[in-house]
Every structure is written in C-alpha cells, then in structure tokens.
Amino acid sequence: MAPQRPGRGHGVSKAVRVHPRSLKRKRDEDQLEELSQRVASLESRPSTPYSLFTELPLSQATQVGLTKSHFKTLTAIQAQAIPAALQSKDILGAAKTGSGKTLAFLIPVLENLHRKQWTEHDGLGALILSPTRELAIQIFEVLRKVGRNHTFSAGLVIGGKPLQEERERLSRMNILVATPGRMLQHMDQTAEFEIANLQMLVLDEADRIMDMGFQGTVDAIIEHLPKERQTLLFSATQTKKVSDLARLSLREPEFLSAHEDAHSATKS
Ligand code: ADP
Ligand code: MG
C-alpha cells in the first residue's frame, strides 16, 4: 500500500486495490499488443534478413521453447518463411531435406494462434498434413518440444488406433498433425468434429503428398475447411504445377526457396 499523503482539506484518499489477476491480465494484453505491433511492422522492411530467433517478434513461450531446444540461429528457409507467415501470408516454400522446414511452419502456427489468444474453447486452429505417419510423428515431437510453454492442445491423427479412440480426443484439439487419409476419414465420419474456426492449413512435403496419390484426398479435406484461412505449403522440390496451386486455393502466395545448407545463418 502506498503511504497516505497528508490530506488536503477534508480529502480522504481512496486506495483502489487492484486485483493481482487483473494486473496480470493487463500485462498479458499489453504484451500481446506490443507483439502484434512488432509483427505488423515487419511488413515495412520485408527484405531484412533475420539471423537470430531472438530478433523475431515471438512470444515469450516460443522463445523459451526455442532456447531450451537449443535453437538459436535461423536457417535460410526459416528466415524467409517465418516473417511472412507471422503476417498471415500464404506461403509456397521450397528447400531441400534437412533445411529446417519444420520450424518454418511450426513457429508461425504457435505464434499466430497465440496472438489470436486461441484457447481450448476455440477448437481446431491449425491442421498440419504430412504424407507419412513417420514424418507426422517427427513434426509432432518438434511441436511438443518447441511448444511446451504454450497451453495449446495438440494431437496426432495417423491411424493405428481405433477411430473411436482418436475421435474422442479430436474435438478438444487446437493443433493437429495428420496424414491425409486418416484426416479425411474423421472429417467424413465424425459428426461433432468442428473445423469452421480453422485458421491455418499446412502441407508439409507437399510434393510427396501429391506424388503419393493423395490429390483427391487433399481436395476432399479442403472442401471441409473454411475458405478464409492461411495456407502454408512446403516441399523439397521447387516446381509446383499451377493446377496444384489452384487446388490448394492459395491467396497470392509468397514463393520462397532456399538452397543453403542446413544450420547456416542466412544472409540471402
Ligand atoms: P526439413 O523438414 O527441411 O527436412 P527439419 O525441419 O527436419 O528439416 O530439420 C532438419 C534438422 O535441422 C533437424 O535435426 C532440426 O532439429 C535441425 N534444425 C532445424 N532448424 C534449426 C535451426 N534453426 N538451428 C539449428 N538446427 C536446426
Ligand atoms: Mg521435413
């Protein structure tokens, strides 16, 4: 409590007690506002190459997750993709295997939902499609590591478990990492599956998803998704058929490609 000042006249000073919880809420709101402003201001200098994760407008939770996972310097594709994706742009990113594409989409997924103050009540916010179960598991592991200080719920939808068992957990998830076939199965069969709120769709290894004959499945999944969303598409090869782009309904995507070695701090 602040010391009482000697009263002027008959003045009775009123001490307003601020509840600690509302103080914290105010502080969180201020931080979020500042973060959003920093993200918006990335726009004015889009060609500035970022080198360290600490230079990026990322939440404290993500910064801590990255530090604990010993990620410090951005790879080339991360330096190109993360700033654009943070600004909700659609992306078509190509960079060879081992160049760090996973974080290039996972960080924007965490951050964009964080800035939207996504909670368990908002349902599925991001869907990440991967061509194989093994790759999906790898993505999920990175998400768990880097996202450990966030409160989002995240799940894997790759089959191998009874549909019913997966289904019960699905409705509570904010972020899903899935294989296309299993995801579509749920969308077709799970009545209560809520995807109207979806903010982000990610296709990792998009070239392989297409090569493996998942075109029809991906088309059908997209039919279920809201049109107003951000789409991030990553692949190891650069050439994408125009027909594939039309199918994914990207909105004026940023075409990004990086060919430097993994782990190299980018100056491209
Ligand atoms: P890609 O999907 O392009 O094949 P990954 O995302 O699987 O690449 O990353 C390849 C390897 O590089 C992984 O071991 C990952 O932990 C590591 N890695 C990714 N980003 C960074 C980074 N910024 N700094 C150091 N290592 C990184
Ligand atoms: Mg990968």
Side-chain angles (χ1 to χ4, degrees):
M1 280 266 281
Q4 292 264 320
R5 290 213 194 125
R8 261 201 292 157
H10 61 275
V12 178
S13 69
K14 229 198 216 160
V16 179
R17 259 181 72 100
V18 181
H19 198 278
R21 201 164 353 131
S22 58
L23 265 183
K24 183 181 181 302
R25 196 183 310 133
K26 178 78 171 70
R27 201 168 55 227
D28 289 351
E29 278 167 11
D30 288 350
Q31 276 177 3
L32 219 52
E33 177 62 29
E34 196 222 320
L35 195 59
S36 296
Q37 279 171 14
R38 287 177 62 209
V39 168
S41 76
L42 283 169
E43 209 155 28
S44 55
R45 38 179 189 137
S47 58
T48 308
Y50 289 93
S51 168
L52 300 170
F53 286 110
T54 50
E55 296 167 17
L56 291 172
L58 304 177
S59 63
Q60 196 59 28
T62 294
Q63 293 288 12
V64 171
L66 288 168
T67 304
K68 283 188 183 161
S69 310
H70 309 289
F71 294 121
K72 237 175 151 161
T73 311
L74 287 93
T75 66
I77 190 68
Q78 290 163 4
Q80 292 186 49
I82 294 173
L86 287 176
Q87 295 183 314
S88 304
K89 288 179 182 149
D90 282 5
I91 283 175
L92 241 155
K96 66 182 184 193
T97 303
S99 55
K101 294 189 288 294
T102 316
L103 286 180
F105 60 80
L106 284 183
I107 291 174
V109 161
L110 288 168
E111 288 302 298
N112 294 358
L113 294 181
H114 170 80
R115 290 199 317 281
K116 289 183 167 144
Q117 297 182 276
W118 209 258
T119 72
E120 54 188 304
H121 308 294
D122 297 307
L124 189 63
L127 172 62
I128 300 162
L129 294 177
S130 158
T132 68
R133 296 173 62 175
E134 292 69 30
L135 283 168
I137 292 167
Q138 283 177 28
I139 294 166
F140 190 69
E141 291 305 320
V142 179
L143 176 61
R144 282 231 297 231
K145 259 192 353 185
V146 172
R148 69 180 123 194
N149 286 63
H150 285 279
T151 54
F152 304 127
S153 51
L156 259 177
V157 176
I158 54 173
K161 274 191 200 135
L163 203 62
Q164 181 60 33
E165 202 175 302
E166 261 183 9
R167 178 178 299 160
E168 282 160 13
R169 293 169 37 244
L170 268 189
S171 55
R172 300 193 297 266
M173 293 303 165
N174 297 139
I175 303 170
L176 285 179
V177 184
T179 49
R182 189 62 162 189
M183 195 62 234
L184 184 59
Q185 214 179 341
H186 278 291
M187 286 173 160
D188 285 341
Q189 297 179 23
T190 306
E192 71 270 32
F193 188 45
E194 183 57 64
I195 35 176
N197 270 354
L198 189 95
Q199 306 290 309
M200 299 174 83
L201 170 68
V202 178
L203 270 90
D204 188 28
E205 306 259 352
D207 44 354
R208 267 180 82 188
I209 290 180
M210 296 304 165
D211 290 346
M212 285 170 69
F214 283 125
Q215 288 99 321
T217 311
V218 170
D219 284 346
I221 289 172
I222 285 172
E223 287 274 299
H224 286 270
L225 305 179
K227 295 236 176 334
E228 264 307 306
R229 60 158 199 275
Q230 183 181 14
T231 304
L232 307 179
L233 194 149
F234 285 89
S235 69
T237 57
Q238 212 175 344
T239 46
K240 288 305 303 161
K241 279 184 262 143
V242 176
S243 59
D244 289 347
L245 306 186
R247 157 180 291 126
L248 293 161
S249 55
L250 296 165
R251 304 160 310 179
E252 300 171 33
E254 303 271 317
F255 291 87
L256 308 174
S257 73
H259 299 289
E260 286 87 337
D261 291 338
H263 313 298
S264 67
T266 171
K267 291 278 177 279
S268 66

